[in-house]
Amino acid sequence: MRHLLEIDDLTAEELGRILAIATSVETPRIFAGKGAALIFEKPSARTRNSMEMAVVQLGGHPVYIQGHEVGFDSRETVEDVTRTMSCFHSIVAARVFAHSVVERMAALNLVPIVNMLSDDAHPLQALADLLTLRREFGELGGRTVAYVGDANNVARSLAIGAGLSGMNFRIASPAGYGFSDRDADRIATAGVRIEVLERPEEAVAGADAVYADTWTSMGQEAEAEQRRRAFEGFQVDERLMALASADAIFLHCLPAHRNEEVTEAVLDGPRSRVWSQATNRMHAARGAMAWLMQERG
């Protein structure tokens, strides 16, 4: 039984296989007559729509479930929710706060578990990012992606995925907002080397892709003003983009806070690929779920 809780659950070869399925013109109807449970403790427009449509494209029936409907460890234990879902569905995906929830689900080994986002990781976003980069540049080996901002779950998954794809990964974050020791160890254990820099200009210089994310993620709203002050000087604007490679693109996992972490001129500009990146969430999810089901046999 295989699960996808973080990008380093995959080998470089398996990652390539998922991206190949995602770009194939032939979509395996591997979910024909089957259901997929999509549990959302955290709401998301892109994740819900991309996952539901990916399941439909694979021939299955997606069932959207809000967090309060299952009540992890309040109405029922995480394990009992998982056992219940496995009675009806061939795969269970969850978008949660605590990463331990998806780990507990996967530990039962009843059906493949997909992490649609946790506070630690966002593997489906990383797959979509890599798919976007591959469609833009072809071979990714030797390319450089520069991440400007909070070293959060998106950054961690992207760093691992970039390393597995042979890319260089640079990150610039304000003091106190870099990778934790635990995250740095996880990235290093995956065999990925990253370049940690203090200034966005250093990270972006000559990069093939510049990546930003919101400075205040869901659940951090009380820190919003503090974070705006801390991230002053880390906005991706046209001046910063001019330091990147001549054919560099801009990426953002969305939703974006316009004129905060990125200016409208960059977000809506000719270098931006954020909407094709959003579209690739569906293709990447389809590739990941098809691969998991094929591995299950």
Side-chain angles (χ1 to χ4, degrees), residues 12 24 45 50 58 79 95 101 131 144 160 183 201 226 247 255 261-262 277 282:
S24 174
S50 61
L58 292 168
E79 288 77 13
R95 182 177 169 94
V101 170
L131 183 57
T144 298
I160 296 171
D183 284 342
E201 293 81 1
Q226 172 190 333
D247 62 349
E261 72 272 6
V262 58
Q277 184 185 4
M282 175 178 66

Side-chain angles (χ1 to χ4, degrees), residues 128 132 135-136 251 272-281 283:
T132 305
R135 285 178 160 167
E136 185 74 24
L251 300 175
S272 178
R273 298 294 183 273
V274 298
W275 303 117
S276 57
Q277 184 185 4
T279 303
N280 284 331
R281 287 289 304 274
H283 301 308

Side-chain angles (χ1 to χ4, degrees), residues 18 27 45 49 100 117 131 144 154-155 175 220 278 286:
I18 288 175
T27 300
N49 282 275
S100 59
L117 174 140
L131 183 57
T144 298
V154 171
Q220 298 173 335
R286 185 178 67 244

Side-chain angles (χ1 to χ4, degrees), residues 122-137:
H122 202 347
L124 292 178
Q125 181 65 57
L127 289 174
D129 298 340
L130 295 171
L131 183 57
T132 305
L133 290 163
R134 178 174 286 193
R135 285 178 160 167
E136 185 74 24
F137 299 115

Side-chain angles (χ1 to χ4, degrees), residues 205-247:
D208 299 291
V210 178
Y211 202 116
D213 189 7
T214 178
W215 295 337
T216 305
S217 298
M218 194 179 302
Q220 298 173 335
E221 290 80 6
E223 306 172 22
E225 185 54 41
Q226 172 190 333
R227 284 173 169 267
R228 273 191 288 270
R229 291 194 299 268
F231 283 87
E232 186 176 348
F234 281 78
Q235 182 186 74
V236 177
D237 55 17
E238 291 178 297
R239 175 196 61 84
L240 194 63
M241 286 298 300
L243 301 176
S245 171
D247 62 349

